[in-house]
Amino acid sequence: MLATAEKTKAAQSLATAASAMAQNEVHLRDLMADEARCMKMIVEVDGMTLDFSRQRIPAEVLPHLLDLWSEVDGAGKIQAMKSGMPINSTEDRSVLHHALRAARESVYRDKDGVNTVELVWGVLDKIKAFSEKVRNGEWVGATGKALTDVVAIGIGGSYLGPEFIYEALRTDKTARESAGGRRLRFLANVDPIDVTRATEGLDPETTLVVVVSKTFTTAETMLNARTMREWISKKLGSDSVAKHMVAVSTNTEKVVEFGIGQENIFGFWNWVGGRYSVCSAVGVVPLALQYGFEVVADFLSGARAMDDHFFSAPAEANLPVLMGLVGVWNASYLGFPTRALLPYCQALLKLAPHIQQVDMESNGKRVKVDGSELQSDAGPVNFGEPGTNGQHSFYQLMHQGRVVPADFIGFKESQQPVELEGEVVANHDELMSNFFAQPDALAFGKTAEECRAQGIPENLVPHKVFTGNRPSSSLLITKLDAFQLGRILSLFEHRTAVEGFVWGINSFDQWGVELGKVLATQVRSQLSKSRKEGASVSGFNYSTTKMMQSYLA
Ligand SMILES: O=P(O)(O)OC[C@H]1O[C@H](O)[C@H](O)[C@@H](O)[C@@H]1O
């Protein structure tokens, strides 16, 4: 079953438990009737409550999951990460995204002994000063106008996290007030349509462009950066670029080569993986420009609070560890290939796209750290959509089709409460009625007997039966502000790490994205030669040749 832990006692107990459950058809209806069991599966940490009682984990199996964590030396692996050991072994890098949100006086050393927190605060101080200058109109554009709008260019990890945070805070009262009408747009796709969408209604005179790229070599980002440079130069002349473009990167040389001065670069480091970089200048520059540095500082404190919890809480009370163990159980023991992320909060509409990258780029692997092949699939397919929208889309499949383990997220308070006179409940309570109802509908289902008792005609009974026994966890959180948002981000980042630790994989490299890039280079050069010199398509397989010929015709 589990490659890394297949010989451990706990792994064997878990495998036995999983097959016994399948044979005995243990149903969540029975598991949920055991209140002592449920009590152990509801864990509260500073106003964030995780209820994983609706997972298909019998009371006696939970200790085996915790044993598995001990047997793979989970605590030791957390410590290795925390202390800067090069756990990203294929790139010989430390993994220190927690240092990005550490308190100024903390010390996290990288593999070479450098205190990364000092570096982090050097950049944070620079961002604070810069963002304040732009926001208060001290830093102006080439024609002397204040820069009220920002376009952040970047893709993958240099885009998804910042957009997720931007959207989540857009309707938060404090952040919204602080934004004061400023605009932030993202330009990610190399599709030229995205340039039009990102710049619609913007004027180069009042726009600042932030080019975000760890490597500063990503083809999409570089072409978009050149396109935006042209957009600015065309109207304001090429000398204006210095006032209208800044960069976030680890590759100073390439940024300078591009034409952005060293003083306008906000750096980060190779111990920050792209998908774990939202707390670095990658996210902090655009978000501080939009919401002000203080709001971003709250977000960083929230992430730090969850880091501290992750590093110190015992496994049985550790939210990322528990969620990670649930993930391993569902993916590797019960064999569920997918997982849904269902925030009952419209402001979290970009959570799922971000976690798709965090989780699938991290744990979508086929080999272990030592290069040997995994004997079972590791990370699941992640997808999601805010509730209640998802209910009117793919929940049908979740209720009566495939089993998709789900993570529900709900808040006690709305960012934007509405209560109409004469309505039964306030709008947020209406939303939350669904948050509480759906997990039970999935878990308990509806039997044929229940259908008949309701007078459903016999021919419709099979269509109206819900088999139930569909697992989910629920997270109930006070409210979505910058601080809680930081906790949520860190929680999901560490869940991914926990799962990777148990599977014994390197969750911090992403070699799987390389091959497509190489092939695109070959196609690009063919398209150029064909368009510019009329060269015929050659060197590709039959199908690609045919399709490219058709494209070029
Ligand atoms: O920040 P960049 O160097 O431009 O990289 C952007 C993205 O592209 C790569 O293909 C990786 O898969 C991502 O992890 C990365 O975040």
Side-chain angles (χ1 to χ4, degrees):
M1 176 96 10
L2 252 193
T4 164
E6 62 197 341
K7 293 196 181 68
T8 70
K9 224 174 123 219
Q12 271 161 22
S13 308
L14 288 167
T16 310
S19 59
M21 264 179 67
Q23 271 163 26
N24 303 333
E25 293 177 3
V26 175
H27 198 287
L28 271 172
R29 276 194 285 264
D30 307 318
L31 296 179
M32 292 298 291
D34 178 354
E35 289 185 7
R37 168 190 168 277
C38 294
M39 204 174 76
K40 285 191 206 127
M41 299 172 89
I42 299 179
V43 179
E44 198 263 346
V45 179
D46 299 330
M48 186 182 275
T49 306
L50 169 70
D51 173 3
F52 63 109
S53 60
R54 285 179 205 76
Q55 293 293 342
R56 274 159 58 171
I57 301 174
E60 65 281 8
V61 170
L62 185 55
H64 297 322
L65 278 171
L66 293 165
D67 289 347
L68 176 67
W69 181 242
S70 306
E71 286 176 4
V72 300
D73 189 23
K77 287 181 169 164
I78 292 180
Q79 190 51 37
M81 174 170 130
K82 186 182 169 194
S83 62
M85 283 172 67
I87 61 168
N88 176 358
S89 51
T90 62
E91 296 178 296
D92 192 27
R93 290 176 182 172
S94 306
V95 174
L96 284 163
H97 40 277
H98 45 280
L100 300 171
R101 51 250 189 169
R104 199 185 278 273
E105 62 282 3
S106 314
V107 176
Y108 286 124
R109 296 195 185 280
D110 70 6
K111 70 183 178 69
D112 303 317
V114 176
N115 179 16
T116 56
V117 183
E118 249 176 70
L119 304 176
V120 164
W121 276 94
V123 175
L124 287 176
D125 288 339
K126 183 173 168 182
I127 299 174
K128 182 171 188 286
F130 167 71
S131 59
E132 281 168 3
K133 271 194 211 159
V134 173
R135 287 169 59 84
N136 68 23
E138 215 178 296
W139 174 303
V140 289
T143 58
K145 286 195 180 166
L147 300 173
T148 52
D149 304 316
V150 170
V151 176
I153 306 176
I155 199 163
S158 294
Y159 154 62
L160 291 160
E163 189 184 44
F164 150 51
I165 304 303
Y166 162 70
E167 286 292 346
L169 292 178
R170 204 145 72 85
T171 35
D172 169 71
K173 285 211 173 85
T174 311
R176 192 184 179 87
E177 247 175 61
S178 179
R182 296 185 61 85
R183 291 182 287 187
L184 172 60
R185 303 269 179 82
F186 293 91
L187 172 54
N189 201 333
V190 75
D191 184 341
I193 294 171
D194 212 15
V195 176
T196 306
R197 296 167 73 104
T199 55
E200 200 145 50
L202 301 188
D203 184 336
E205 266 189 282
T206 49
T207 303
L208 176 72
V209 172
V210 186
V211 187
V212 186
S213 176
K214 182 174 170 182
T215 55
F216 229 73
T217 56
T218 303
E220 293 93 327
T221 301
M222 290 304 104
L223 184 55
N224 277 332
R226 293 192 292 275
T227 308
M228 288 303 290
R229 187 174 58 190
E230 178 76 10
W231 182 75
I232 292 164
S233 310
K234 225 171 164 178
K235 174 149 186 200
L236 305 172
S238 53
D239 291 350
S240 61
V241 167
K243 291 269 178 200
H244 289 263
M245 284 185 102
V246 300
V248 174
S249 187
T250 59
N251 192 343
T252 312
E253 211 180 300
K254 287 267 177 219
V255 181
V256 172
E257 221 172 83
F258 177 87
I260 294 175
Q262 191 130 13
E263 64 290 358
N264 294 336
I265 305 174
F266 299 91
F268 64 115
W269 310 273
N270 72 12
W271 40 263
V272 182
R275 56 194 173 274
Y276 297 96
S277 68
V278 58
C279 295
S280 73
V282 166
V284 177
V285 170
L287 294 165
L289 285 164
Q290 177 66 12
Y291 295 127
F293 189 82
E294 292 315 315
V295 170
V296 182
D298 279 350
F299 160 67
L300 296 178
S301 312
R304 181 194 315 152
M306 185 56 76
D307 293 342
D308 292 345
H309 165 74
F310 179 53
F311 292 150
S312 61
E316 64 278 10
N318 192 311
L319 299 180
V321 171
L322 291 170
M323 285 173 63
L325 292 174
V326 165
V328 169
W329 170 249
N330 281 332
S332 296
Y333 289 95
L334 301 187
F336 299 129
T338 59
R339 167 162 69 191
L341 184 52
L342 310 169
Y344 277 64
C345 177
Q346 190 59 23
L348 292 183
L349 80 165
K350 294 292 180 183
L351 172 64
H354 177 53
I355 298 308
Q356 279 172 11
Q357 190 204 13
V358 167
D359 202 74
M360 298 203 275
E361 205 171 65
S362 298
N363 288 345
K365 303 284 163 68
R366 53 171 282 278
V367 295
K368 294 194 278 178
V369 172
D370 65 8
S372 62
E373 251 180 76
L374 282 166
Q375 272 142 54
S376 71
D377 286 332
V381 175
N382 289 256
F383 73 101
E385 190 68 40
T388 61
N389 293 14
Q391 291 174 202
H392 303 273
S393 165
F394 52 82
Y395 279 34
Q396 163 63 41
L397 176 144
M398 294 176 62
H399 283 290
Q400 288 189 315
R402 293 168 187 270
V403 176
V404 181
D407 291 308
F408 289 87
I409 302 178
F411 296 90
K412 295 183 190 175
E413 264 178 63
S414 174
Q415 284 183 338
Q416 297 288 331
V418 173
E419 186 158 10
L420 301 180
E421 219 174 287
E423 290 289 338
V424 192
V425 289
N427 296 27
H428 184 69
D429 282 346
E430 175 65 24
L431 169 75
M432 291 301 283
S433 304
N434 292 277
F435 166 84
F436 290 109
Q438 289 290 336
D440 275 344
L442 287 165
F444 290 85
K446 189 174 176 184
T447 63
E449 292 68 47
E450 285 166 335
C451 289
R452 288 189 189 105
Q454 286 180 349
I456 291 173
E458 199 54 37
N459 63 327
L460 289 182
V461 167
H463 299 278
K464 298 210 172 191
V465 162
F466 291 72
T467 53
N469 207 19
R470 289 154 193 267
S472 68
S473 296
S474 296
L475 266 175
L476 183 60
I477 304 166
T478 45
K479 76 173 202 197
L480 185 63
D481 55 18
F483 184 84
Q484 296 301 338
L485 187 60
R487 293 180 80 203
I488 294 169
L489 173 88
S490 165
L491 172 64
F492 281 94
E493 286 179 349
H494 295 320
R495 175 183 74 171
T496 293
V498 164
E499 293 174 347
F501 290 157
V502 178
W503 284 315
I505 61 183
N506 179 358
S507 299
F508 305 102
D509 61 9
Q510 60 285 318
W511 298 108
V513 302
E514 296 303 323
L515 182 58
K517 287 187 195 171
V518 174
L519 295 185
T521 304
Q522 201 186 328
V523 176
R524 183 186 305 121
S525 106
Q526 176 70 63
L527 291 179
S528 173
K529 274 191 243 149
S530 299
R531 295 272 193 222
K532 294 187 174 147
E533 302 154 25
S536 55
V537 177
S538 72
F540 297 90
N541 58 64
Y542 175 85
S543 305
T544 304
T545 306
K546 279 279 160 206
M547 292 296 272
M548 282 173 64
Q549 282 168 345
S550 162
Y551 175 69
L552 286 163

